[in-house]
């Protein structure tokens, strides 16, 4: 069965993606700080694998699960902390994860990556400048990586 990794599986968007992936036949590894019992139950009902790999974007990046997923969805977002914390959790840590997975997918020759970024990354909402800046950095970086991946015969997409 294909395997998907997802950040933010306990949030609204991440949970919706995780549920859809399970329904579509994926085994799912949630990269996060805690389990999502209703998704674990859904996976068991569907005969799919569900695992949680302890992963916190606000701390120095720990090891990712072994192997390379067929699909990575980054749906986590943090609104906690000041400029430095938001830069780390909403840009640097996700970019490091995505870059690592993309290189593994390239070595294997296939894979898909999805990155969800809230609209305020492009709009810059009042009172959310530091959050918007970190998310805009991830958005722009992801677009550049997407273009780089497209040059490589399109076997790995973002």
């Amino acid at each position: 069965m294909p395997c998907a990794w997802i950040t933010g599986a306990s949030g609204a968007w991440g949970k919706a993606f995780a549920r859809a992936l399970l329904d579509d036949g994926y085994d799912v590894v949630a990269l996060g700080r805690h389990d999502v019992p209703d998704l674990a139950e859904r996976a068991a009902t569907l005969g799919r694998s569900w695992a949680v790999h302890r992963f916190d974007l606000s701390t120095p990046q720990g090891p990712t699960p072994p192997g390379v997923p067929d699909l990575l969805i980054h749906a986590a977002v943090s609104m906690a902390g000041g400029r430095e914390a938001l830069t780390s959790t909403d840009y640097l840590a996700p970019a490091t994860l995505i870059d690592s997975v993309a290189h593994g997918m390239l070595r294997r020759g296939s894979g898909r990556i999805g990155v969800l970024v809230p609209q305020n990354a492009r709009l810059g909402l009042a009172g959310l400048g530091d959050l918007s800046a970190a998310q805009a950095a991830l958005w722009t970086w992801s677009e550049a990586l997407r273009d780089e991946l497209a040059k490589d015969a399109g076997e790995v997409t973002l």
Side-chain angles (χ1 to χ4, degrees):
M1 289 193 177
C3 178
W5 293 358
I6 185 164
T7 66
S10 62
W13 286 105
K15 194 175 208 177
F17 274 100
R19 183 176 289 113
L21 290 167
L22 289 167
D23 290 346
D24 285 347
Y26 282 84
D27 291 333
V28 176
V29 176
L31 305 179
R33 294 176 288 179
H34 48 84
D35 200 353
V36 187
D38 58 316
L39 290 175
E41 184 178 312
R42 180 147 186 93
T45 300
L46 295 169
R48 308 280 183 260
S49 173
W50 171 264
V52 175
H53 180 82
R54 301 290 173 208
F55 195 81
D56 188 346
L57 293 171
S58 68
T59 61
Q61 188 130 351
T64 57
V68 177
D70 299 291
L71 174 65
L72 168 67
I73 299 286
H74 172 63
V77 65
S78 175
M79 296 181 69
R83 183 173 297 149
E84 204 168 295
L86 292 169
T87 299
S88 177
T89 59
D90 290 336
Y91 168 53
L92 296 174
T96 300
L97 171 65
I98 293 163
D99 196 47
S100 172
V101 169
H103 281 90
M105 289 175 171
L106 285 169
R107 282 190 296 279
R108 185 183 60 216
S110 66
R112 296 175 62 198
I113 300 169
V115 180
L116 279 74
V117 182
Q119 183 141 349
N120 64 291
R122 288 289 197 206
L123 300 177
L125 301 176
L128 296 175
D130 291 335
L131 174 65
S132 296
Q135 292 174 344
L138 181 62
W139 186 323
T140 303
W141 178 85
S142 294
E143 288 177 334
L145 180 59
R146 177 201 61 207
D147 293 347
E148 287 177 35
L149 293 171
K151 292 179 186 176
D152 201 17
E155 300 297 329
V156 177
T157 60
L158 188 142

